[in-house]
Amino acid sequence: VTGNTTVGGTLGVTGVSTLADNIVFGASGKGIHLGVTSATAANLLEDYEEGTFTPVFAFGGSTNGLTYGNKVGSYTKVGNRVHTSGIVQLTGKNNAAIGTGTVTITGLPFTVTNNNNAYAAAGLRMQNITFADSPSLATIINSTTADLREITNAGSVTTLNNGNIAADSYVIFSLSYQTDA
């Protein structure tokens, strides 16, 4: 079949086939069923996306008073799972202009689902950031921001704030989470 030809019904293809172009579905919500011989919803690949985003630090929601060496992120979204990675690296911090409150990385490409059974996982490499103790983590709850926290030796979870971050702090991260988008 060549050109703009519409084929209806079941198309049987055997052997090795090559397409010269992309497959485009005529309606949203359509996709490819993988690994099955019948159309089961659990095996429908209907959403795949790759892209970039710009992660930045925020203090209590404010991004004022910060300069960056790097702020680069990329993502892959397969169905309702988002996998991100990136770096946020400061080269300057004007304490007079910075807000107060929890330090976050903002600008994630999709909102995390508001589902108590959905969990986010993060791998973090933090440099030039001070902690009372050492284990660190990021939490994401129904937003596009990751709160930076630490687990103290006593077992409590505390949020990081302006005093924990230096003018040359950086975070290299890998975050995976579920979205409703």
Side-chain angles (χ1 to χ4, degrees), residues 48-176:
Y48 179 88
E49 182 179 334
E50 294 179 357
T52 61
F53 64 101
T54 305
V56 295
F57 285 118
F59 296 83
S62 172
T63 58
N64 295 330
L66 303 171
T67 55
Y68 294 90
N70 284 304
K71 51 181 180 177
V72 179
S74 64
Y75 71 89
T76 301
K77 181 177 181 286
V78 180
N80 67 355
R81 303 296 174 176
V82 181
H83 307 284
T84 68
S85 61
I87 183 171
V88 182
Q89 178 184 26
L90 291 178
T91 56
K93 178 180 140 184
N94 178 350
N95 284 324
I98 292 175
T100 59
T102 301
V103 177
T104 60
I105 295 174
T106 67
L108 296 177
F110 297 93
T111 299
V112 174
T113 189
N114 190 19
N115 177 342
N116 290 333
N117 294 320
Y119 300 99
L124 303 169
R125 165 72 164 93
M126 295 186 183
Q127 188 67 38
N128 303 330
I129 297 177
T130 59
F131 300 96
D133 300 317
S134 58
S136 59
L137 63 116
T139 57
I140 314 167
I141 302 170
N142 196 29
S143 69
T144 56
T145 64
D147 295 349
L148 298 182
R149 301 172 183 253
E150 72 170 319
I151 301 171
T152 66
N153 290 339
S156 62
V157 177
T158 61
T159 57
L160 301 183
N161 59 43
N162 182 14
N164 299 101
I165 305 297
D168 60 348
S169 293
Y170 68 87
V171 176
I172 299 172
F173 63 89
S174 178
L175 301 168
S176 294

Side-chain angles (χ1 to χ4, degrees), residues 19 22-34 44-48:
L19 296 174
N22 296 320
I23 298 172
V24 178
F25 296 98
S28 64
K30 302 296 181 183
I32 301 169
H33 289 277
L34 300 173
L44 179 64
L45 177 59
E46 66 202 71
D47 186 10
Y48 179 88

